[in-house]
Amino acid sequence: MPEDSLPAYVIRDIDDAKSGVRTKLRAAAEAGGFVVLVGDSSAGKTRCLYEAVQAVLPDWWLARPAGAAGVRELVGAAGRVVVWLDEIRDYLDDGLEASTIEALLDRQEPTVLVATIWPHRYAEYTRTPLSGDDDRYRSHRQVLRLAAAVDVPSAFSAAERSRADTAADDDPTLCVALASSDYGMTQTLAAAPQLVRRWEHARASDRRRGPYRWALLTAALDAYRLGARGPLSADLLREGVNGYCTDREQARAANWFEDALAYATDDTEMHGGAAALAPVGSPGGGMGHRAGYRPADYLVQHATRVRSHRAGHATGNSDDGHVPSSLWDAFVAYADRVDVRPLAEAARSRGLLRTSFRLYEAADAAGDPEAADSAAWVLSHAGRLDEAVTWWRRAAERGDKYALWHAGRALESAGRIDEAHALHRSAAEASGDSNAVQGAIESWLADGRADLALTWWWQHTPYNSSFPRVLRDAVADMEERDRTEALLWWKRAAEKGDWNSVTRAVALLREKDGTEEAVHWLRTLPEGRGRTEGTRLLEAAPVSFTGRALNG
């Protein structure tokens, strides 16, 4: 970031505050830490972070990893390192995990991670879901909870503006920004007013060409507010625009795409060379190659507020925030692989189940390992349960160990109990996963076969597994009918490492005068409450024998 390309930096209140950015960076420098700045687009987050790192950690190595894999590679790096993540959403969506952050923070030499994020995304990612809701941001939440968050206000305070007035004496760029009355200073510096005007005045820019200019930009902005983050291809934009134009505009369209694209990507009137829609290259693509186009962050945020508000009063017209079917169809045909899942979830949240399924289907065809399970849930919610089970079976074949269990639960909810039980048992046999085994156990108990439920648990769970409550209750009931059989299962559960079952076994052994065996089981318990309670059951045994046995 060349110094001479930037306007003078205006010290923010959060820079040197008691819980501000630089204070947190100094604390992180001692033994490692993670600081994330939370603020709107163009609020000055990145510049604030840049200046803070320069001021507090000027001699540290700076690493800007390419994706989550690049972050993982830094675990073995040497020296004091600042890991620059900036817009952390890209890393979270790429699979960045809390374990990687923890490993970096546990390095022998301190590591400081810094990042930025928009407020609505921070709130969405860190919110604990209600019981029963999908927890799709669980890994995002685990990562962000490791960070110290600092809020960056969008508007300057009176003190900040005073400092800006002083700095503006020697910086004409700041003079222009301070003269803006409609936008904050940082937004003005980032060309916010010109970007908004470029979009909102697109129709009026040319009597014949204006509608297509507006349609192209709006389609791109809608794509990003729905969840896209990769470059939007020319084919996607060309096909997605149709529904934003009236029938008459469609009929009169001629050579419209090139003009609309040139209008959207023109940066000649923007402060700082910004463009409403910026071309994006691709690694190894060569000179002049364009992978697609990406709308300006500030404009995406502005359009999200404007069009989401209008959609709440929608009449089905693209002017009021409605997303036409042409854009959804273009997503199915052309969306970047990394975008298909969030777009499918956006369609699903809007009740567009058919479109959501088609997007998950496209993701599955592109190799997304979780798409088949998601497609099955959409089909299930649409009442197409048999098709959903087929997709869950496909997911199981591709290594999803929960898929058959999900299918069994869905069948169970639909009252198809026999099929559900068969699937639960298949899932347990196929994966041995604890959830699948639990489903199989519950299916046997529902069929009145406690003996088979116990056998499933015994055969399919590893050592050091707790005895499920439903099986504890089943063995407790068994004591009334067959104490010998109940004792067998308490001992088997104890062999698996379930300490609570030891005291139950001791109680039954004491009844049948099996004191010596009872003492053997008590010796498997660690010192503490469990051994104390078990020993109390043997009060009738010879004290010297019991004490000698327990003490070895």
Side-chain angles (χ1 to χ4, degrees):
M1 189 178 293
E3 291 282 350
D4 58 4
S5 68
L6 298 174
Y9 181 64
V10 177
I11 294 293
R12 304 296 300 268
D13 294 341
I14 59 169
D15 280 332
D16 294 312
K18 186 176 180 180
S19 298
V21 182
R22 301 186 186 192
T23 302
K24 292 188 183 299
L25 283 181
R26 291 187 188 97
E30 294 296 321
F34 184 13
V35 180
V36 60
L37 271 57
V38 183
D40 287 333
S41 173
S42 302
K45 303 184 297 297
T46 300
R47 180 69 187 276
C48 178
L49 201 54
Y50 167 75
E51 297 289 345
V53 170
Q54 284 278 73
V56 178
L57 309 170
D59 300 325
W60 287 45
W61 290 102
L62 180 68
R64 187 179 182 182
V71 180
R72 289 190 290 272
E73 291 173 0
L74 292 172
V75 173
R80 300 176 302 173
V81 180
V82 176
V83 182
W84 183 272
L85 302 179
D86 201 14
E87 179 46 72
I88 197 171
R89 175 200 182 193
D90 294 336
Y91 293 91
L92 295 172
D93 288 350
D94 192 41
L96 180 61
E97 297 180 343
S99 59
T100 300
I101 304 298
E102 290 169 341
L104 283 168
L105 297 178
D106 286 340
R107 290 175 64 244
Q108 186 172 2
E109 295 181 275
T111 302
V112 174
L113 299 101
V114 294
T116 65
I117 192 170
W118 289 357
H120 75 275
R121 286 182 182 147
Y122 183 81
E124 183 178 23
Y125 293 165
T126 56
R127 183 184 301 115
T128 302
L130 297 174
S131 177
D133 286 355
D134 290 343
D135 194 3
R136 55 180 171 169
Y137 294 126
R138 181 172 179 270
S139 63
H140 294 43
R141 183 169 65 254
Q142 291 174 333
V143 168
L144 291 173
R145 284 184 173 176
L146 295 173
V150 180
D151 292 324
V152 181
S154 296
F156 268 25
S157 68
E160 289 170 337
R161 191 167 183 90
S162 176
R163 291 193 288 270
D165 286 333
T166 300
D169 292 339
D170 300 314
D171 192 321
T173 305
L174 287 180
C175 288
V176 174
L178 288 167
S180 172
S181 59
D182 295 330
Y183 296 88
M185 194 192 81
T186 56
Q187 289 84 356
T188 301
L189 289 172
Q194 292 82 10
L195 289 170
V196 171
R197 191 176 302 115
R198 197 74 174 169
W199 173 47
E200 294 187 341
H201 294 185
R203 274 203 179 101
S205 64
D206 186 284
R207 186 173 63 86
R208 293 183 64 86
R209 299 175 180 179
Y212 311 111
R213 295 173 175 179
W214 176 87
L216 181 74
L217 265 175
T218 305
L221 292 170
D222 276 352
Y224 262 67
R225 73 182 180 92
L226 290 170
R229 62 183 180 88
L232 306 172
S233 70
D235 288 334
L236 186 152
L237 292 171
R238 191 189 306 271
E239 297 300 320
V241 160
N242 293 344
Y244 292 87
C245 299
T246 65
D247 291 344
R248 180 176 178 178
E249 288 166 350
Q250 292 181 36
R252 297 176 62 181
N255 302 318
W256 63 273
F257 185 73
E258 292 73 14
D259 172 78
L261 192 60
Y263 175 86
T265 56
D266 183 11
D267 61 7
T268 56
E269 298 179 7
M270 306 292 177
H271 287 305
L277 196 64
V280 179
S282 60
M287 299 293 287
H289 179 267
R290 294 183 178 183
Y293 302 86
R294 188 192 306 275
D297 278 354
Y298 183 81
L299 196 52
V300 172
Q301 195 173 66
H302 174 77
T304 298
R305 288 192 294 265
V306 171
R307 287 184 63 74
S308 296
H309 173 73
R310 291 175 182 170
H313 307 84
T315 60
N317 188 293
S318 60
D319 281 346
D320 59 21
H322 172 71
V323 178
S325 60
S326 64
L327 186 59
W328 292 111
D329 291 341
F331 290 153
V332 173
Y334 301 111
D336 190 285
R337 177 177 173 177
V338 300
D339 291 339
V340 175
R341 173 170 292 279
L343 292 172
E345 291 169 355
R348 180 177 171 184
S349 70
R350 287 162 173 76
L352 303 173
L353 298 185
R354 180 174 177 274
T355 298
S356 181
F357 171 74
R358 291 173 64 203
L359 285 162
Y360 282 128
E361 189 177 34
D364 178 70
D368 185 332
E370 299 177 4
D373 180 69
S374 298
W377 280 114
V378 171
L379 289 168
S380 175
H381 291 155
R384 296 158 61 180
L385 187 52
D386 290 330
E387 294 174 75
V389 170
T390 298
W391 275 85
W392 268 312
R393 290 187 183 279
R394 179 184 302 189
E397 290 170 0
R398 297 184 180 182
D400 187 335
K401 63 182 181 181
Y402 298 105
L404 291 181
W405 183 65
H406 289 160
R409 287 298 193 197
L411 287 166
E412 201 172 68
S413 297
R416 294 162 62 171
I417 304 301
D418 291 342
E419 294 173 78
H421 289 179
L423 267 172
H424 283 314
R425 294 159 195 169
S426 296
E429 289 177 339
S431 68
D433 176 75
S434 59
N435 283 327
V437 171
Q438 177 76 8
I441 288 170
E442 291 175 359
S443 74
W444 284 121
L445 290 174
D447 289 346
R449 298 299 305 273
D451 56 334
L452 290 176
L454 287 162
T455 300
W456 268 82
W457 179 79
W458 173 250
Q459 293 176 344
H460 294 281
T461 55
Y463 175 76
N464 203 23
S465 300
S466 61
F467 209 23
R469 177 174 293 277
V470 290
L471 291 185
R472 290 181 61 82
D473 292 344
V475 178
D477 291 341
M478 188 183 293
E479 288 184 9
E480 301 299 320
R481 304 187 304 274
D482 189 339
R483 276 172 139 62
T484 299
E485 183 71 8
L487 175 60
L488 169 67
W489 286 109
W490 289 129
K491 286 168 31 175
R492 283 185 168 179
E495 289 171 4
K496 289 279 191 181
D498 185 81
W499 295 342
N500 290 325
S501 296
V502 173
T503 56
R504 297 295 303 170
V506 166
L508 292 185
L509 285 167
R510 177 68 189 85
E511 276 186 18
K512 58 184 297 188
D513 199 24
T515 302
E516 185 171 357
E517 187 178 359
V519 169
H520 161 74
W521 282 108
L522 283 176
R523 290 183 65 191
T524 68
L525 290 172
E527 292 287 352
R529 180 180 175 187
R531 182 180 286 195
T532 300
E533 291 180 357
T535 303
R536 193 177 297 122
L537 297 171
L538 295 177
E539 289 177 351
V543 174
S544 60
F545 173 79
T546 305
R548 184 168 63 254
L550 284 176
N551 294 325

